[in-house]
């Protein structure tokens, strides 16, 4: 049974919900430049990642009663909204009042920073604020919703653009600090003292709170095609879990509603039949789930400079000031490209922010298929749309959809090493104490960079959305031959390449997309540090083996230690394997408290090897055929196979090098669901020597209704 959060029924169509469990997405962007006359509405209702998490109240004495709002409308949540409590309908829940004021009498602070020659080198500054959450006057049956500040963003205005600065939030002291450098110091000051509404800066506060919302449940009868024979039966739906593959074979395989189209029935009648067969109550279509929601509150910041320096909110190292010390320079670059020793431009482009300290924009040169954080499987799926309104029964399949997520090929280990390199190459600003925590990495999506896809016709047709640093592709096609080519490439781990080009003001950069399910990215190791026992517990959360290469240890005061020798003879971690590592084994010379640990690893996947075990699970429209190449003469170094499905005219080309002859090829193709059709495949085999000279060709015909295996014999 597929994940209930993956598919839903719209009318009579089984369609995917575009949601992958990736790294958390920011509720805001940093340094985004947009025109002021454009709508800048905040549309997030449920956070795209932390949706449906369990809400487990912490029991304390005395026990504090918790209230959770029931969110029923699909509209943006505002601070003036009110809701009914999920458990007690008679209780009305309201948001408390949020107030902002300068922090301890200091709103704005700056200093002139000299360069290494003692000359004027630039500006460093900060805006400091304090927030408070106070209950509004409440009636007997009214309660306040508990808010937790997650992020604050300062929106500076210059000309007709915004510059967004991410803040550092301390929820214990209720303090917010925005660090500024150079031109951003000037811009912030003039925004804060301006009398013009169009030049006053403002701040976005993003609070999260717990609540309940509805999800649809009317898609419970979607089935995995891998366990289907010729039709969907009730017995199929209770197959034990062990009959499913133990690894992510293809893309969790295409899904369908039903494959027995022998009787002409209206789509709605067929759906009703499936519901009846599987005891699915059509009147129970939804349930409530616990969720985390976001509330955005915007506050305008405007504080006149005043006349008394002693009480001024604007200060330097010498105390308060009441004059205007800056001239605004509107022609400045937000990012400047830097080159860090050891980081080749072919792998990573690095841009340093010119408006916020220790902030770097990273453009990875390779974007790859990402893993789901929970299942560790590749974030990719295909769906066969089995029903369409008004469609006949002879050609029920009319569209195939692909969904997948890609992200920058930079691991947590890579980013940790980059922080050390930035320190060693003197690219950090100010005090470098706790620099590991001060450095902030941005990605193209964080600055709302424009992008386009080129170099791959299939991927260029996708609808693309962004989530955090990931791109979500959603592609539907009615060309079944095109779809078969894509499925075969995924089946046989043939990489699909494309270019992704980024543009943002003065920045123009590009990366390569590598779409291959055996080359997925994402963290798969869970590491738990026990400083008392001086041990690290590691566990492989992936479905594949994991080979450890090295470890980077980070101690208090950001002392670091890299060990790549220990793992040279260390065995691979199999799926769900757990091991304990002693501190002294990894670093015998240090006994300080360990703060963090990062592993460099390889995910050892061998998905294509499972195709040996796959028996063709064909339906009236979807066929799997295995192609096996027999041992060849030593002179043969390459074989190409040209296949033509005579029913549809679809043509496919398969190429295998000598080292790949023993690996079977899983060949998938789609035919129209007709009662009478041509079941023949013609194929031509070309044999090449080591110099790519054609040494022979063979033409054959194969009947896929009688067998599911094509054997390529030894060159005659």
């Amino acid at each position: 049974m597929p994940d209930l959060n993956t598919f839903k029924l719209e009318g009579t169509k089984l369609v995917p919900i575009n949601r992958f469990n990736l790294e958390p997405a920011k509720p805001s962007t940093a340094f985004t430049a947009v025109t002021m006359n454009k709508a800048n509405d905040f549309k997030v209702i449920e956070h795209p990642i932390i949706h449906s998490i369990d809400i487990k109240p912490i029991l304390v004495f005395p026990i504090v009663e918790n209230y959770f709002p029931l969110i029923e409308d699909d509209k943006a949540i505002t601070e003036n909204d009110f809701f009914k409590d999920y458990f007690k309908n008679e209780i009305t829940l309201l948001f408390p009042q949020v107030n902002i004021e300068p922090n301890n009498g200091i709103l704005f602070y700056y200093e002139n920073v000299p360069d290494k020659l003692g000359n004027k080198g630039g500006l460093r500054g900060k805006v400091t604020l304090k927030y408070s959450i106070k209950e509004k006057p409440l009636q007997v049956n009214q309660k306040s919703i508990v808010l937790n500040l997650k992020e604050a963003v300062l929106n500076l205005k210059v000309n007709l653009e915004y510059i967004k600065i991410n803040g550092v939030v301390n929820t214990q002291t209720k303090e917010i600090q925005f660090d500024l450098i150079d031109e951003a110091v000037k811009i912030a000051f003039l925004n804060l003292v301006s009398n013009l509404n169009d030049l006053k800066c403002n701040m976005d506060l993003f609070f999260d709170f717990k609540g309940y919302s509805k999800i649809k449940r009317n898609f419970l009868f979607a089935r995995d095609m891998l366990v289907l024979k010729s039709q969907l039966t009730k017995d199929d739906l209770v197959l034990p879990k062990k009959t499913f593959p133990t690894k992510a074979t293809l893309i969790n395989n295409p899904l369908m509603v039903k494959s027995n189209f022998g009787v002409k029935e209206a789509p709605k009648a067929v759906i009703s039949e499936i519901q009846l067969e599987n005891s699915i109550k059509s009147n129970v279509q939804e349930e409530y789930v616990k969720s985390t929601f976001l509330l955005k509150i915007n506050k305008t910041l405007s504080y006149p400079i005043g006349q008394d320096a002693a009480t001024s909110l604007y200060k330097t190292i010498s105390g308060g000031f009441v004059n205007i010390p800056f001239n605004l320079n509107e022609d400045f670059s937000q990012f400047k490209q830097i080159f860090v020793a050891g980081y080749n431009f072919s792998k990573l482009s690095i841009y340093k922010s010119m408006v916020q300290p220790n902030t770097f924009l990273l453009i990875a040169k390779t974007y790859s298929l990402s893993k789901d954080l929970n299942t560790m499987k590749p974030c990719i799926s295909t769906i066969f749309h089995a029903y369409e309104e008004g469609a006949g029964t002879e050609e029920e399949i009319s569209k195939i959809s692909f969904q997948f997520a890609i992200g920058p090929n930079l691991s947590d280990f890579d980013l940790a090493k980059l922080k050390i390199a930035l320190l060693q190459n003197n690219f950090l600003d100010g005090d470098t104490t706790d620099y590991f925590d001060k450095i902030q990495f941005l990605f193209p999506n964080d600055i709302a960079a424009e992008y386009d896809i080129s170099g791959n016709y299939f991927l260029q047709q996708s609808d693309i959305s962004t989530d955090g640093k990931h791109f979500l592709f959603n592609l539907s096609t009615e060309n079944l031959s095109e779809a078969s080519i894509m499925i075969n490439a995924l089946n046989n781990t043939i990489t699909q390449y494309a270019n992704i080009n980024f543009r943002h003001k003065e920045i123009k950069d590009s990366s390569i997309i590598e779409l291959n399910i055996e080359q997925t990215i994402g963290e798969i190791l869970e590491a738990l540090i026990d400083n008392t026992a001086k041990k690290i517990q590691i566990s492989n959360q992936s479905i594949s083996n994991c080979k450890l290469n090295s470890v980077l240890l980070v101690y208090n005061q950001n002392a670091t230690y890299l060990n790549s020798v220990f793992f040279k003879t260390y065995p691979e971690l199999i799926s769900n394997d757990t091991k304990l590592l002693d501190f002294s084994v990894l670093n015998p010379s240090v006994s300080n408290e360990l703060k963090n640990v990062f592993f460099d690893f390889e995910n050892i996947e061998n998905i294509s090897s499972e195709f040996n075990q796959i028996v063709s699970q064909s339906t009236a429209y979807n066929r799997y055929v295995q192609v096996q190449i027999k041992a060849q003469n030593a002179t043969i170094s390459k074989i190409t196979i040209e296949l033509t499905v005579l029913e549809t005219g679809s043509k496919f080309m398969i190429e295998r090098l000598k080292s790949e002859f023993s690996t079977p090829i899983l060949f998938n193709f789609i035919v129209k669901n007709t009662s009478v059709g041509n079941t023949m495949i013609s194929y031509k085999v070309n044999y090449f020597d080591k110099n790519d000279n054609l040494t022979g060709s063979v033409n054959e015909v194969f009947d896929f209704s009688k067998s599911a295996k094509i054997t390529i014999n030894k060159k005659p």
Side-chain angles (χ1 to χ4, degrees):
M1 189 66 70
D3 182 358
L4 299 185
N5 289 327
T6 306
F7 306 94
K8 63 181 179 180
L9 193 68
E10 288 185 357
T12 56
K13 298 179 183 179
L14 189 66
V15 299
I17 298 173
N18 192 8
R19 183 187 298 276
F20 290 118
N21 184 24
L22 299 167
E23 296 180 22
K26 290 186 177 182
S28 61
T29 56
F31 314 128
T32 303
V34 296
T35 55
M36 290 172 59
N37 55 8
K38 285 186 178 179
N40 194 28
D41 296 335
F42 180 68
K43 299 297 186 184
V44 174
I45 300 176
E46 293 177 71
H47 192 288
I49 301 306
I50 52 180
H51 171 68
S52 301
I53 66 173
D54 288 334
I55 303 172
K56 297 179 179 179
I58 300 175
L59 296 179
V60 295
F61 297 96
I63 297 177
V64 178
E65 191 169 9
N66 293 289
Y67 298 95
F68 299 109
L70 176 60
I71 313 296
E72 296 185 290
D73 299 325
D74 293 332
K75 67 180 184 67
I77 299 172
T78 69
E79 58 187 307
N80 296 319
D81 288 338
F82 54 89
F83 310 92
K84 292 295 184 182
D85 180 65
Y86 176 73
F87 295 102
K88 298 179 179 179
N89 192 55
E90 69 276 8
I91 299 293
T92 300
L93 301 180
L94 298 87
F95 291 117
Q97 181 177 333
V98 178
N99 297 322
I100 294 293
E101 61 183 5
N103 186 30
N104 296 325
I106 301 177
L107 172 69
F108 175 86
Y109 178 88
Y110 87 97
E111 293 180 13
N112 285 293
V113 181
D115 60 19
K116 61 183 179 180
L117 298 177
N119 301 320
K120 184 177 179 180
L123 299 170
R124 297 289 183 271
K126 59 185 179 181
V127 173
T128 55
L129 298 162
K130 200 173 187 73
Y131 72 96
S132 59
I133 301 175
K134 298 181 179 179
E135 284 193 353
K136 298 175 181 176
L138 299 174
Q139 299 178 7
V140 176
N141 289 332
Q142 293 180 336
K143 301 293 181 182
S144 284
I145 300 172
V146 177
L147 295 179
N148 178 39
L149 183 60
K150 298 297 292 183
E151 187 172 356
V153 177
L154 179 64
N155 302 303
L156 301 180
K157 293 184 180 179
V158 52
N159 200 3
L160 295 177
E161 296 179 344
Y162 286 102
I163 297 175
K164 294 179 178 286
I165 308 293
N166 287 344
V168 178
V169 177
N170 187 330
T171 56
Q172 299 297 320
T173 61
K174 306 295 184 182
E175 295 175 337
I176 306 170
Q177 178 172 312
F178 301 96
D179 294 319
L180 313 168
I181 61 175
D182 296 334
E183 301 301 332
V185 177
K186 303 177 186 179
I187 297 168
F189 171 76
L190 294 178
N191 282 182
L192 289 169
V193 302
S194 177
N195 287 321
L196 301 175
N197 289 331
D198 287 342
L199 289 181
K200 292 178 181 179
C201 59
N202 60 73
M203 178 174 59
D204 290 326
L205 300 173
F206 294 90
F207 295 89
D208 73 7
F209 62 96
K210 312 299 182 182
Y212 283 80
S213 63
K214 297 177 182 178
I215 62 168
K216 299 293 183 182
R217 290 177 53 87
N218 55 355
F219 45 85
L220 293 177
F221 45 82
R223 284 296 292 131
D224 190 332
M225 189 177 294
L226 190 62
V227 298
L228 296 180
K229 299 299 181 182
S230 59
Q231 61 182 357
L232 181 66
T233 66
K234 187 171 183 179
D235 292 337
D236 290 328
L237 294 172
V238 293
L239 285 175
K241 188 175 182 181
K242 65 181 180 180
T243 62
F244 289 86
T246 57
K247 291 186 178 180
T249 51
L250 167 57
I251 32 186
N252 291 333
N253 298 290
L255 298 178
M256 61 176 294
V257 177
K258 195 172 183 179
S259 62
N260 181 13
F261 301 121
V263 181
K264 292 182 179 291
E265 290 182 280
K268 291 182 179 178
V270 176
I271 291 175
S272 298
E273 177 191 342
I274 297 173
Q275 291 174 329
L276 183 62
E277 286 179 359
N278 299 286
S279 302
I280 299 172
K281 297 180 180 180
S282 59
N283 61 338
V284 181
Q285 299 296 320
E286 56 196 13
E287 67 175 10
Y288 291 96
V289 295
K290 302 171 184 178
S291 302
T292 298
F293 296 83
L294 287 176
L295 168 68
K296 174 188 173 183
I297 295 178
N298 182 270
K299 296 288 186 180
T300 299
L301 303 179
S302 180
Y303 297 88
I305 194 168
Q307 301 296 324
D308 185 0
T311 60
S312 176
L313 299 174
Y314 301 86
K315 292 180 171 59
T316 69
I317 195 170
S318 302
F321 65 92
V322 294
N323 61 321
I324 299 178
F326 307 119
N327 290 320
L328 182 60
N329 174 18
E330 294 181 358
D331 297 324
F332 67 94
S333 174
Q334 290 189 26
F335 294 96
K336 177 183 179 182
Q337 188 168 10
I338 61 174
F339 300 92
V340 181
Y343 286 83
N344 195 299
F345 181 72
S346 62
K347 179 180 180 180
L348 177 67
S349 294
I350 307 173
Y351 297 84
K352 188 179 186 331
S353 169
M354 296 291 101
V355 295
Q356 188 168 4
N358 302 322
T359 300
F360 301 87
L361 169 66
L362 306 182
I363 300 182
K365 290 306 190 176
T366 304
Y367 273 71
S368 301
L369 187 64
S370 299
K371 290 183 184 299
D372 183 293
L373 283 180
N374 288 335
T375 67
M376 300 301 167
K377 294 182 180 180
C379 288
I380 190 164
S381 61
T382 43
I383 296 172
F384 288 9
H385 293 265
Y387 290 105
E388 298 256 348
E389 290 285 359
T393 56
E394 289 190 350
E395 297 182 14
E396 294 289 352
I397 296 299
S398 63
K399 185 184 294 185
I400 298 177
S401 293
F402 295 87
Q403 282 190 327
F404 55 91
I406 64 168
N409 198 348
L410 293 170
S411 67
D412 288 348
F413 179 84
D414 295 331
L415 297 178
K417 285 190 65 179
L418 178 56
K419 290 182 178 181
I420 298 173
L422 291 169
L423 173 69
Q424 294 173 341
N425 287 270
N426 298 316
F427 283 115
L428 300 187
D429 304 300
D431 183 8
T432 57
T433 304
D434 294 329
Y435 71 95
F436 251 81
D437 302 321
K438 292 179 180 179
I439 293 176
Q440 178 178 222
F441 290 131
L442 303 176
F443 295 90
N445 292 346
D446 294 325
I447 62 171
E450 296 180 356
Y451 60 87
D452 61 71
I453 308 296
S454 62
N456 186 306
Y457 172 79
F458 202 63
L459 300 184
Q460 286 173 214
Q461 310 309 308
S462 301
D463 293 327
I464 305 173
S465 58
T466 59
D467 184 2
K469 60 185 179 182
H470 297 85
F471 292 89
L472 307 182
F473 285 70
N474 193 340
L475 171 64
S476 295
T477 179
E478 297 180 5
N479 188 323
L480 304 187
S481 297
E482 263 188 6
S484 292
I485 293 173
M486 183 71 167
I487 292 174
N488 283 320
L490 295 169
N491 270 338
N492 298 287
T493 65
I494 300 170
T495 303
Q496 297 289 293
Y497 293 97
N499 297 317
I500 181 167
N501 307 301
F502 298 106
R503 293 182 302 276
H504 177 72
K505 291 190 174 181
E506 70 280 2
I507 295 176
K508 289 185 179 180
D509 216 323
S510 62
S511 304
I512 300 295
I513 296 174
E514 293 184 358
L515 185 61
N516 187 323
I517 58 175
E518 280 195 339
Q519 297 174 6
T520 54
I521 61 171
E523 301 302 315
I524 64 173
L525 277 182
E526 181 185 49
L528 302 176
I529 299 172
D530 188 342
N531 278 295
T532 303
K534 303 293 183 183
K535 293 182 182 295
I536 303 172
Q537 177 181 296
I538 57 174
S539 57
N540 179 8
Q541 303 293 304
S542 173
I543 55 177
S544 305
N545 286 7
C546 173
K547 181 180 183 299
L548 296 172
N549 295 323
S550 56
V551 61
L552 176 63
L553 305 172
V554 182
Y555 300 92
N556 285 339
Q557 287 78 48
N558 290 304
T560 59
Y561 182 81
L562 178 65
N563 186 335
S564 56
V565 177
F566 176 76
F567 294 105
K568 285 186 175 180
T569 57
Y570 199 79
E572 292 181 3
L573 289 176
I574 63 174
S575 178
N576 296 318
D577 198 5
T578 299
K579 300 287 186 183
L580 288 175
L581 301 173
D582 291 326
F583 286 7
S584 59
V585 174
L586 299 178
N587 185 2
S589 61
V590 177
S591 60
N592 293 343
E593 183 172 303
L594 188 61
K595 180 180 177 181
N596 214 331
V597 59
F598 301 94
F599 287 95
D600 182 27
F601 61 85
E602 297 177 45
N603 200 15
I604 312 299
E605 296 187 76
N606 191 13
I607 297 173
S608 60
S609 65
E610 297 185 7
F611 298 155
N612 281 318
Q613 307 167 17
I614 294 179
V615 177
S616 178
Q617 302 294 330
S618 297
T619 66
Y621 55 84
N622 187 60
R623 295 281 176 173
Y624 287 102
V625 173
Q626 190 179 89
V627 181
Q628 181 71 59
I629 301 176
K630 285 194 171 182
Q632 301 294 317
N633 295 325
T635 58
I636 303 301
S637 64
K638 185 176 75 172
I639 289 177
T640 64
I641 309 167
E642 303 171 13
L643 300 102
T644 302
V645 181
L646 299 183
E647 169 70 16
T648 61
S650 300
K651 297 180 183 296
F652 304 92
M653 170 71 78
I654 299 172
E655 179 180 295
R656 277 290 188 264
L657 300 178
K658 189 171 187 175
S659 60
E660 303 169 317
F661 286 173
S662 60
T663 302
I665 304 162
L666 188 63
F667 173 56
N668 172 272
F669 58 96
I670 302 166
V671 295
K672 297 179 180 179
N673 181 29
T674 55
S675 57
V676 179
N678 192 330
T679 60
M680 307 300 287
I681 296 176
S682 67
Y683 63 94
K684 180 181 180 180
V685 183
N686 298 314
Y687 300 87
F688 297 85
D689 63 17
K690 63 180 181 179
N691 296 317
D692 268 354
N693 295 314
L694 181 64
T695 62
S697 297
V698 175
N699 290 285
E700 298 285 353
V701 177
F702 172 78
D703 189 346
F704 59 76
S705 66
K706 298 180 179 179
S707 175
K709 187 173 183 179
I710 298 177
T711 301
I712 306 301
N713 294 314
K714 192 174 183 179
K715 176 180 173 286

